[in-house]
Amino acid sequence: MAENAIGWLSLPLGIATNLMVNGRDVLVPMAIEEPSVVAALSHGARMVRESGGVQATACPPEMIGQIQLLDLADAEAARERVIQAEPELLHIANERQPAMVARGGGARAIEAHVLATSQGVMLIVHLTMNVCDAMGANAVNTAVEALAPVVAGLAGARAGVRVLTNLAVRRLARASCRVALQPLAGHGAAGEDVVMRIIEAHAWAEADPYRAATHNKGIMNGIDAVAIATGNDWRAIEAGAHAYASTPRGSQASGGGYAPLSSWIRADDGGLHGELIMPLAVGTRGASVRAQPLAAVALKIMRIESAVALAEVMAAVGLVQNLAALRALAVEGIQEGHMRLHARQVALAAGAQGPEVDALAKRMVSEGKIREARAIILLKEIRDR
Ligand code: MEV
């Protein structure tokens, strides 16, 4: 799949449980090396499940391709000519994608934006395309490359870069949930206290990009793990997520700065209401999914066939992963649970094998010292016994 390959770097593939999305139980395959992410999603999903699980929707799978036009005599007039030619341009784009058009997809719209840059005025043409169940990069890139000379001719301009944008704002997914007070309580904290602390944590993320980055990293822990398990391009999803987090989005963003992708408010019944909105350009067809047999198995485990259904589940995963992280941060702190699970990784790093891994991890947890130097000493003791 990649060039000059000398081997595979494997990741653990785990299954998170308890998640209910739109009334349907979904087992969630997650490929991730970080301990406690799979456990946290399962835990968060159990809390949400008691209030009916997660409701999720996703837009039709429309991607945007961009064409850069330069050396314009009159940018506004060029823009007008390109917009007038929309039917012809859509026809040219669709000619390149007969299979996609036959499945109900294809080019949908042309827009053009005049842009002042450090290198002069440019016209940026946007092609919107329904890519059906693909991630869509190849289809969109093929279409914009075919269109570039035509729009350059119409605009009387020179065509520059043409490629899709990962800021897939027409491919948003939305997940929302309620959490009752009782499942939030624990570690000596009442449910009301936990609600208040989670709302305060969210308010901090809204006001501070340093915290928002980590808040969103927690969301992406779950989303990336599902993306990798299903053979999707997680770099594209990451790029889209963080670009979207930086665009003005009403109440979620204060003045267009980097903002959390989720929001948490007090629900009418005193519990929590959470919502996540973000672009999720994911596919269930395409070479990268088909080239990896386990990716097809992962989709089968989730009983997912369409890109829209996958985006809905991934949005639900991101929201619940965020809830689990905020709940842990607000109550016991993340290190207690995390270090218990991290102990196995430290044991492996110290050279433990087979049953030694759990035995060594248990010794470190009971001592409260989860460090590689200590693990090496304890491993020697276990082996000398
Ligand atoms: C760790 O991988 C993710 C968290 O830092 C997320 C957060 O702080 O919200 C726990």
Side-chain angles (χ1 to χ4, degrees), residues 34 37 211 214-219 221 322 325-326 329 334 338:
E34 184 174 332
V37 172
R211 174 58 206 149
T214 321
H215 179 106
N216 288 344
K217 192 274 183 181
I219 293 171
N221 271 344
N322 182 224
L326 294 182
L329 287 164
I334 52 162
H338 179 78

Side-chain angles (χ1 to χ4, degrees), residues 34 109 114 117 121 142 150 154 196 202 206 223 250 266 308 332 375:
E34 184 174 332
V114 176
T117 79
V121 173
T142 302
V150 185
L154 284 166
M196 184 191 73
H202 172 255
E206 268 193 317
I223 288 179
R266 191 170 280 105
V308 165
E332 73 268 28

Side-chain angles (χ1 to χ4, degrees), residues 173-259:
R174 176 180 179 278
S176 65
C177 69
R178 277 179 176 248
V179 202
L181 289 176
Q182 193 274 326
L184 286 168
H187 278 77
E192 288 85 350
D193 270 349
V194 180
V195 168
M196 184 191 73
R197 291 188 215 173
I198 289 179
I199 291 172
E200 287 167 353
H202 172 255
W204 176 22
E206 268 193 317
D208 177 359
Y210 288 87
R211 174 58 206 149
T214 321
H215 179 106
N216 288 344
K217 192 274 183 181
I219 293 171
M220 300 313 290
N221 271 344
I223 288 179
D224 285 345
V226 179
I228 296 170
T230 55
N232 273 287
D233 180 347
W234 54 271
R235 285 89 52 212
I237 300 169
E238 282 279 345
H242 298 293
Y244 187 69
S246 308
T247 56
R249 285 163 294 128
S251 63
Q252 274 201 19
S254 39
Y258 184 86

Side-chain angles (χ1 to χ4, degrees), residues 76-230:
E76 278 304 333
R79 182 181 169 281
E80 207 40 51
R81 288 197 296 278
V82 170
I83 296 299
Q84 291 301 323
E86 183 180 45
E88 178 197 339
L89 296 173
L90 298 183
H91 180 73
I92 295 170
N94 282 336
E95 269 179 345
R96 305 284 163 141
Q97 306 291 342
M100 196 159 266
V101 173
R103 289 202 303 276
R108 293 286 189 264
I110 296 284
E111 284 171 29
H113 308 279
V114 176
L115 196 66
T117 79
S118 62
Q119 299 302 308
V121 173
M122 298 178 190
L123 186 64
I124 309 299
V125 178
H126 282 194
L127 165 72
T128 300
M129 196 165 174
N130 182 311
V131 294
C132 300
D133 291 317
M135 183 274 184
N138 284 331
V140 170
N141 290 340
T142 302
V144 286
E145 289 199 356
L147 283 183
V150 185
V151 286
L154 284 166
R158 173 171 62 89
V161 170
R162 52 253 187 240
V163 71
L164 95 166
T165 170
N166 290 120
L167 179 51
V169 289
R170 290 186 186 272
R171 217 172 173 179
L172 297 180
R174 176 180 179 278
S176 65
C177 69
R178 277 179 176 248
V179 202
L181 289 176
Q182 193 274 326
L184 286 168
H187 278 77
E192 288 85 350
D193 270 349
V194 180
V195 168
M196 184 191 73
R197 291 188 215 173
I198 289 179
I199 291 172
E200 287 167 353
H202 172 255
W204 176 22
E206 268 193 317
D208 177 359
Y210 288 87
R211 174 58 206 149
T214 321
H215 179 106
N216 288 344
K217 192 274 183 181
I219 293 171
M220 300 313 290
N221 271 344
I223 288 179
D224 285 345
V226 179
I228 296 170
T230 55

Side-chain angles (χ1 to χ4, degrees), residues 36-57:
S36 79
V37 172
V38 178
L41 178 62
S42 306
H43 181 222
R46 201 171 58 223
M47 290 192 256
V48 173
R49 189 181 181 83
E50 294 181 21
S51 312
V54 183
Q55 275 62 53
T57 54

Side-chain angles (χ1 to χ4, degrees), residues 248-290:
R249 285 163 294 128
S251 63
Q252 274 201 19
S254 39
Y258 184 86
L261 291 163
S262 65
S263 61
W264 293 97
I265 56 170
R266 191 170 280 105
D268 307 337
D269 60 3
L272 265 182
H273 173 83
E275 185 179 64
L276 169 89
I277 303 177
M278 62 178 284
L280 273 166
V282 291
T284 52
R285 294 171 71 103
S288 67
V289 178
R290 282 204 307 272

